[in-house]
């Protein structure tokens, strides 16, 4: 993903350097660069959001596991103290 973004940025920069003498082409390149940047930002936002959701589910599973383990230990302690 990062290599792709770097490639796009370098390609856009190279294209911009080739057409610096033409105003219309410069504006077209700038517009294209903005569109690419917007798409990359959206892709990164989606990736980050997916990672956050996954982290939340893992955290919930860990909390459930810990609480069930704590309950099991409490039950065992109660059983051993009753004897």
């Amino acid at each position: 993903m990062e290599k792709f973004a770097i490639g796009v940025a370098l390609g856009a920069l190279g294209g911009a350097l080739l057409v610096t003498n033409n105003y219309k082409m410069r504006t077209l390149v700038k517009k294209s660069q903005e569109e690419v940047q917007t798409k990359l930002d959206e892709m990164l936002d989606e990736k980050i959001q997916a990672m956050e959701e996954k982290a939340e589910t893992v955290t919930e599973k860990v909390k459930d596991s810990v609480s069930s383990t704590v309950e099991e230990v409490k039950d065992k302690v109660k059983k051993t103290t009753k004897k």
Side-chain angles (χ1 to χ4, degrees):
M1 177 71 177
E2 291 80 17
K3 290 180 183 178
F4 171 75
I6 292 170
V8 169
L10 291 177
L13 181 62
L17 290 173
L18 291 174
V19 296
T20 54
N21 294 330
N22 189 340
Y23 177 75
K24 288 182 182 178
M25 291 302 281
R26 278 186 283 168
T27 56
L28 179 63
V29 168
K30 286 181 182 179
K31 182 180 176 185
S32 297
Q33 286 176 333
E34 290 173 3
E35 289 175 0
V36 168
Q37 185 64 37
T38 302
K39 289 180 182 179
L40 286 173
D41 288 342
E42 290 173 0
M43 289 171 54
L44 289 174
D45 288 343
E46 290 173 3
K47 191 173 184 179
I48 289 170
Q49 184 178 6
M51 290 173 63
E52 287 175 349
E53 289 173 359
K54 188 173 183 178
E56 287 176 6
T57 55
V58 168
T59 302
E60 289 174 10
K61 287 180 182 180
V62 168
K63 285 181 181 179
D64 291 341
S65 176
V66 168
S67 62
S68 66
T69 304
V70 167
E71 291 300 321
E72 289 176 9
V73 169
K74 285 180 180 179
D75 291 341
K76 287 182 181 180
V77 168
K78 286 180 182 178
K79 287 180 182 178
T80 56
T81 56
K82 288 182 181 179
K83 292 180 181 180

